[in-house]
Amino acid sequence: MDWQALWLTIRLAVLVAAILVVVGLPIAYWVTYSRWRWKFLAEAAVALPIVLPPTVLGFYVLLALGPRSPLGRGWEALTGHTLAFTFEGLVIGSIIYSLPFAVQPFAASFSAVDRRLIAASATLGASKPRTFFRVILPLSVSGLVTGVALSFAHTMGEFGVVLMVGGNIPGVTRTVSIDIYDKVQAFNYAAANATALLLLAISFVVLSVVYALNRRVWAVWRWK
């Protein structure tokens, strides 16, 4: 078991899930309540990583983070190295790749909130931010739990994007999925099986917790 790769993967997944809460909530709110005519284009762009091959997405993210891009040049000027093949580059690539897995559950929960409650809050003089934090967010707990858990689990199992963006540098960009691939390539099936089983167990536990919490939240609100 490559514990270094496991710890790096968990650290990456936790960081990405936390960032996607901050980034995904405003996007989901805008997608849900915006009346812009061409909103469907933004929705398609957010959902694109679901259908786009990971190698294609990883290739373009690699170009965007490379030394020839404005982002890559700016980062290199600040830090002395490019974003490609670094842990920071993995974080950026993982955020893009897991974005729809956070935004879509968030938006679905926001859409399920009764618009009459939002209108009543506005009638009582509450601002949009206050309405969001006091009305919309508490009624969207199930979607928030789902989005965070899916983002975490999806990042834990990434392969194509992390390999394209980060390569295979032990202790820096080598994740569990890449470690499994290396073990299979070396015909070390026993070690690959042990690591794969651990990843399978983690994913199963995460999804079980999501379904259990959502069932509990649904039951509580139904009882009320």
Side-chain angles (χ1 to χ4, degrees):
M1 181 69 66
D2 189 341
W3 296 107
Q4 188 180 53
L6 178 62
W7 166 242
L8 188 144
T9 305
I10 293 174
R11 186 158 57 98
L12 176 66
V14 169
L15 186 58
V16 169
I19 293 175
L20 282 176
V21 171
V22 178
V23 174
L25 286 177
I27 296 176
Y29 181 88
W30 180 84
V31 166
T32 304
Y33 298 108
S34 173
R35 296 182 179 179
W36 184 43
R37 180 179 180 181
W38 303 101
K39 182 177 68 173
F40 65 90
L41 296 176
E43 293 178 288
V46 170
L48 195 58
I50 296 177
V51 298
L52 201 62
T55 50
V56 174
L57 180 62
F59 172 70
Y60 285 113
V61 172
L62 180 61
L63 291 182
L65 302 182
R68 296 185 178 181
S69 71
L71 178 59
R73 288 197 300 269
W75 184 267
E76 187 173 11
L78 290 174
T79 63
H81 60 82
T82 61
L83 278 167
F85 306 109
T86 64
F87 181 78
E88 293 81 3
L90 282 189
V91 172
I92 295 175
S94 299
I95 289 171
I96 297 173
Y97 191 43
S98 297
L99 182 64
F101 292 88
V103 172
Q104 291 188 351
F106 294 167
S109 288
F110 293 165
S111 299
V113 176
D114 194 336
R115 297 296 179 102
R116 291 174 296 181
L117 297 176
I118 300 174
S121 178
T123 301
L124 294 173
S127 62
K128 288 186 177 181
R130 184 177 178 84
T131 299
F132 176 76
F133 287 107
R134 297 294 298 272
V135 178
I136 299 175
L137 204 57
L139 295 176
S140 305
V141 173
S142 61
L144 300 182
V145 171
T146 301
V148 171
L150 289 181
S151 303
F152 176 85
H154 189 249
T155 303
M156 285 285 294
E158 285 183 44
F159 177 74
V161 171
V162 297
L163 185 61
M164 293 288 290
V165 175
N168 187 2
I169 306 173
V172 180
T173 62
R174 187 180 187 181
T175 61
V176 171
S177 57
I178 296 176
D179 178 58
I180 294 173
Y181 177 77
D182 286 344
K183 286 182 170 61
V184 172
Q185 289 292 96
F187 299 102
N188 190 354
Y189 294 133
N193 181 55
T195 307
L197 284 176
L198 178 61
L199 194 60
L200 175 64
I202 292 174
S203 300
F204 180 78
V205 169
V206 169
L207 292 178
S208 297
V209 170
V210 169
Y211 282 112
L213 289 177
N214 282 348
R215 184 177 181 180
R216 182 177 179 84
V217 170
W218 180 82
V220 169
W221 283 107
R222 186 186 183 191
W223 178 80
K224 287 183 177 181

